[in-house]
Every structure is written in C-alpha cells, then in structure tokens.
Amino acid sequence: MTSQRTRDRMLDRLRGLGVVNNQVLDVMRIVPRHLFVDEALSHRAYEDTALPIGYSQTISQPYTVAKMTQCLLSEGVPNSILEIGTGCGYQTAVLASIFPQVYSVERIAALHKQAKQRLSELGIYNVQLRHTDGNMGWPNPSYQFDRIIMTAACSEVPEALAHQLVNGGIMLLPFDDGNDQTLMQITKTPNGLISEAVEKVSFVPLLSGLG
Ligand code: SAH
C-alpha cells in the first residue's frame, strides 16, 4: 500500500488537478508520506486526503501541499522559507527537498518533538524547528525570509510575519473570513502588501499560545 505504484497514482492525481511544476512532482514522488502518519493509517498515506495526526490536527492533503509549494516557486527557488505549523513535518520535508534553508514553528510540543525526530531519522538537516507560537514569527525577530507559508487558517495576517518577509518576498496563507477559507498569495512591496486569492481551501485554525 506504500509501494511506488501507489505513490505514482497520487502523482497522476496531482497532475490531473493541475500541478505542473516537475520539481514539486519529483519531490512528492520521493518524500515518504506514510512515515509521517500513524502506522495504522499508513495504508491511506497516498490517498489525496488530509489525515488525523493527533491533538485534533491533520496532515495536509497532498494536493494542497503540492499546490502551495508550486505557488512558492512561481518565481524560481528562493533561499529561505519560514513555515508556520510544522504539524507532522510532511510539508516541512517537501520544502526541505527544494529550499536550501527551512525554518518551521509549531505550538504543540508533542508534534514539534515528533517532527524533529522524524526529520532527523530521514537525514533532513537543512531544517530548524522551534516550539513556539507562530503568531510571533521566528523567535529571532531580526531574521527575514524569502517565503513564508502558513499551514493553519488565520483571520488576519500576523504583523510579525509581514515584518519577517523580505521586500519582494511572498507569503502564502489560508485566510478565514468567517464563512470560507481562501488561500491567499501575498507579496510584500515597498508600498505595502498585495494580496491575490488562489483558491478555496480547508485548514485547521491558527491558534494562539503554546499547546
Ligand atoms: N503542514 C502540516 C499541517 C499541520 S496542521 C502537516 O502537513 O502536517 C496545522 C498545524 O499548525 C498544527 O500542527 C497546529 O498545531 C499548528 N498551529 C496552529 N496554530 C499555530 C501557531 N500559532 N503557531 C504554530 N503552529 C500553529
């Protein structure tokens, strides 16, 4: 159930849904999603669906991971990226196979710890993880990133994140207006933030404080 054929079927589905970036498709073919979910669910790991990872959280749907990663690469491969919401670390692993430097924060201690162990077992070393509230951005406020990805839905853009994005940088986040969630691509310009709606999405909410 975790065979290459099963993974290839997932790739066919991603292509069918309009994922065209070969770098993204190649990485998603290789990163072992079944190792990021509970063993009891590993036979479903290559279905195009979100799955529970405990603590009322989910691993993102493969299509969503692929689509978001593709959006982040719309202007080539930047150097650094900050992810808000490490969760099980699957999206983090996908990013780490493409971006030279990946930073990721998670508010739930147990998920942070688990992701840290998984990524090191997979020999992924270009990732720095922190157990912290992503509303505050990366704990060192002087850091800035070329890209920021949020994998939980917010109802306003945390100010710290806008601050930690370089000029010309792109931030991708699910925005919840109370009815619907929309994936927004936000570009930072000298004149402010420019937002563009990508498509409807479904994410767990961005929460405050530590869990
Ligand atoms: N990319 C992850 C998605 C996990 S779900 C994956 O594929 O597994 C979203 C994650 O965001 C959850 O783990 C949740 O705990 C985390 N989260 C929610 N609010 C947060 C916050 N303020 N700071 C950091 N992480 C947060």
Side-chain angles (χ1 to χ4, degrees), residues 5-33:
R5 235 181 59 216
T6 316
R7 296 189 200 192
D8 286 344
R9 263 205 301 274
M10 179 180 88
L11 270 275
D12 288 343
R13 175 163 166 87
L14 298 181
R15 280 192 206 95
L17 289 171
V19 178
V20 292
N21 184 308
N22 283 326
Q23 200 174 7
V24 174
L25 291 165
D26 284 349
V27 167
M28 299 228 10
R29 188 166 181 276
I30 292 164
V31 176
R33 191 169 187 258

Side-chain angles (χ1 to χ4, degrees), residues 55-208:
Y55 312 92
S56 309
Q57 306 304 320
T58 52
I59 179 172
S60 303
Q61 181 190 354
Y63 166 68
T64 307
V65 172
K67 177 74 185 185
M68 288 178 91
T69 310
Q70 179 168 276
C71 287
L72 292 165
L73 298 174
S74 58
E75 287 169 31
V77 182
N79 187 48
S80 64
I81 181 156
L82 170 65
E83 177 188 36
I84 308 299
T86 315
C88 67
Y90 175 68
Q91 169 85 67
T92 323
V94 168
L95 296 173
S97 306
I98 299 174
F99 287 76
Q101 289 180 45
V102 179
Y103 300 77
S104 182
V105 301
E106 170 56 53
R107 64 177 288 279
I108 297 177
L111 289 176
H112 160 76
K113 227 172 122 185
Q114 234 175 49
K116 198 167 182 170
Q117 189 177 342
R118 269 196 196 112
L119 294 172
S120 99
E121 278 168 10
L122 287 170
I124 296 174
Y125 298 119
N126 57 331
V127 175
Q128 288 201 49
L129 301 175
R130 293 286 186 278
H131 172 222
T132 186
D133 179 354
N135 282 293
M136 321 291 191
W138 186 251
N140 182 337
S142 67
Y143 274 44
Q144 282 202 313
F145 305 92
D146 299 312
R147 297 287 181 270
I148 296 178
I149 178 176
M150 188 186 281
T151 65
C154 63
S155 47
E156 57 187 283
V157 180
E159 214 173 292
L161 298 186
H163 187 73
Q164 290 191 331
L165 187 64
V166 299
N167 245 324
I170 295 173
M171 176 158 51
L172 208 54
L173 50 85
F175 184 81
D176 193 330
D177 67 4
N179 292 315
D180 276 329
Q181 290 184 12
T182 309
L183 182 63
M184 302 298 297
Q185 181 163 330
I186 301 173
T187 307
K188 183 169 168 178
T189 76
N191 303 321
L193 302 176
I194 298 177
S195 306
E196 198 184 312
V198 179
E199 61 189 38
K200 296 277 177 249
V201 284
S202 175
F203 278 88
V204 295
L206 183 79
L207 299 175
S208 294

